[in-house]
Amino acid sequence: MTEPGPDPGVRVAVDIGGTFTDAVATWPDGRTESAKALSIAGAQDAGVMQAVSLMDVSLPEVKDFIHGTTTALNALLQRAGASMALVVTSGFRDVYEIGRASRPEMYNIHYRRPELLLRRRDIFEVDERTLADGTIRTPLDSAGIRDLAERLRGRYESVAVCFIHSFRWPAHEREAAAVLREALPGVSVVASHEVTAEWREYERWSTTLVSAYVTPSIRDYLEALEMRLAGGGLRSPLHVMQSNGGVMTAQTGLRRAAQTLFSGPVGGTVASESIGRAIESDQLICVDMGGTSFDVSLVVDGRADIESEVDIEGHPVLTPSVAIHSLGAGGGSKIWVEAGGLRVGPASAGAMPGPACYGHGGMSATITDANAFLGRIPEIARFAGALELDLEAAEAALEKVAAELGLDPRELALGAIEVVNAMMADGIREITVGRGIDPRDFDLLAFGGAGPLHAAALAEEMGMSRVIVPHAPGVLSAWGMLQADVRHDLARSLYGRFDSLDHDAVGSAFGGLCAEGRDLLAEDGVDVSDMDFRPSVDLRYFGQEYTLTVPVHDASGLDDPARVAADFHAAYQARYGHSNPGETVELVSVRISAVGLRRPTDLPLLPGSTPGQALTTLPADFGDGPEPSDVYRRADLGRGQELDGPAIVLESGCTTLVPPGWRAAASDRGHLVMERSRE
């Protein structure tokens, strides 16, 4: 593996959340600065510019600008994507609607299938047919494609092209897409082989439709942001975070919109890899609690846990993504009553007016209001460095909901926090216990504006004994983007029994993927000396439907199949709790991660070991009534300084809670390591 090139100079990363937009800038001398600004609904590009303006950064001096955006994901979740047409092989019009004909919740009589992204009348057949072995049974009707383009003109914003077997033989699909692009200027045309060259026609078509659905939204947003940044003097290319934990240029992102679906949340997981190395912990449960949502991901054996397929509200997407489980549980989640029961979320107060304690006229009680009312966020705290708490407004909002349940505000606040903690604990179980992983073998790494407030309670709920609150946890996702490499994940379906592989075919497939990855990296401006190619294979037991991805050591072929098979058996045992080493193993796909190495940002050492003094002592209610709690400023903590709970640590991005029975210590790089001081 090559070493990354020289430091590129000033680097900036911006992450947009539902409530706050976070920005981080680093300089070659190691200086780091961060800022938080309220997100601007409907004008996220303006929010990016506002966050950058709060830092001492001149855009002309920025050499690397990275952005994480939820634009594509929001368009999908809110059903606010493009009007679409789907062009398919004649005879395959119903593939998308039939799907897998499965019922994920077999015993739920109220189950309803997720709404499809387009209607059957928007699906058009064309004459063409390539067989599985590449034989052309029916040539492409080029005249029919041109006639179809005339029928589509002015009716759709986006067109998806999905032909049978085009994942292996894309010539017809490539020709049809070219005709449609020429005939329909301004319309996004997305061909399935450009999005994912993998088997399973339904999943491939679903992925292509998702990409086509969100492409106009992400295109409009990124083009508007590029114009704003260029107007401010930025001369370097804009890079976008991908779902796989890597970055790509915005121009590449316009063609691969599906790969930006988890652009925002994955930055924190990438940062967690780096932090785990710094504190010598390679097993991490990463929890990001912001103002709107709660995201859980894993770092296993020092690497982010990446899945080759994700499901987003019933829509399978074949794109490698950091495995993230999300739910609507953030600091801004509303507290409400339904059928006489206490509920929290998923609706959020957002950035404006936000929680009642923001003092912007918000009337809804939220988790942030509950924490502020209980003193867990002390009255001297300042959100985003300047926003003062309005505790009277928080109490009034809590009283209104409490009256519906016959409670007082304190009882409601404690109950709401227990409810949201239980919701988040279930989210952690979903991605750990639900997959055969024991969370007690992991450390909990908590970040986001609200994560460190709830981290100790979550650890206790999960039976975990150690919590890490990283440096600058409120902007960790943005900081993580500065640690990410340029990355493109490519795959090619290739079937065969593992004990009788055609090594020439395997080597040829890997060679083709490496060449494609090399072209993509070069397009993103990566120097040849900084390119690294990481091969892997999708394997399964003979007769099974789904696969596991296993790294291999030789991209020219499989130099030691027995070792790879042993790795597969071990991975299967770890995932499912059993394996069958005597069973035949089958190869399904080969993969390449084409990586453009970039120099990560190192955090400076804390200046010294002089203990920081508490700013004040204020009462905070941890469930047994108010207790005197020392309040510290995070920047004042010295290297190795220990704090015994109850204590509260303040910084502009978030508040860290050290409850009774817990102890916190500052690491050399400024990470807080919290451990239980008693059972």
Side-chain angles (χ1 to χ4, degrees), residues 13 24 241 245 266-272 475-484:
V24 173
M241 196 73 189
V266 300
T269 311
V270 175
S272 299
V475 295
L476 189 74
S477 288
W479 184 80
M481 294 173 190
L482 298 176
Q483 317 310 308

Side-chain angles (χ1 to χ4, degrees), residues 442-461:
F442 286 68
D443 293 330
L444 186 73
L445 192 146
F447 56 97
L453 270 171
H454 296 258
L458 286 175
E460 290 180 354
E461 177 73 16

Side-chain angles (χ1 to χ4, degrees), residues 40 82 86 137 318 495 523 528 580 634-635 637 642 648 657:
I40 302 175
L86 171 61
R137 170 178 287 182
L318 291 174
Y495 305 101
E523 186 178 334
V528 173
N580 190 357
R634 180 83 179 256
L637 298 181
E642 295 186 354
I648 300 171
L657 205 61

Side-chain angles (χ1 to χ4, degrees), residues 320-387:
S321 303
V322 173
I324 294 179
H325 182 70
S326 302
L327 59 149
S333 293
K334 294 181 180 180
I335 303 168
W336 54 293
V337 177
E338 181 184 51
L342 177 61
R343 305 285 188 268
V344 177
S348 171
M352 189 61 69
C357 65
Y358 281 14
H360 289 160
M363 304 296 291
S364 300
T366 68
I367 293 299
T368 298
D369 294 308
N371 278 309
F373 177 78
L374 295 172
R376 300 183 185 187
I377 303 176
E379 58 185 348
I380 63 173
R382 297 292 179 267
F383 289 126
L387 187 62

Side-chain angles (χ1 to χ4, degrees), residues 169-201:
W169 314 104
H172 282 180
E173 195 173 271
R174 186 179 292 119
E175 181 182 347
V179 171
L180 291 170
R181 285 169 181 148
E182 181 180 359
L184 300 172
V187 174
S188 298
V189 177
V190 181
S192 72
H193 74 276
E194 298 170 337
V195 176
T196 175
E198 296 189 55
W199 69 310
R200 296 200 192 105
E201 65 275 7

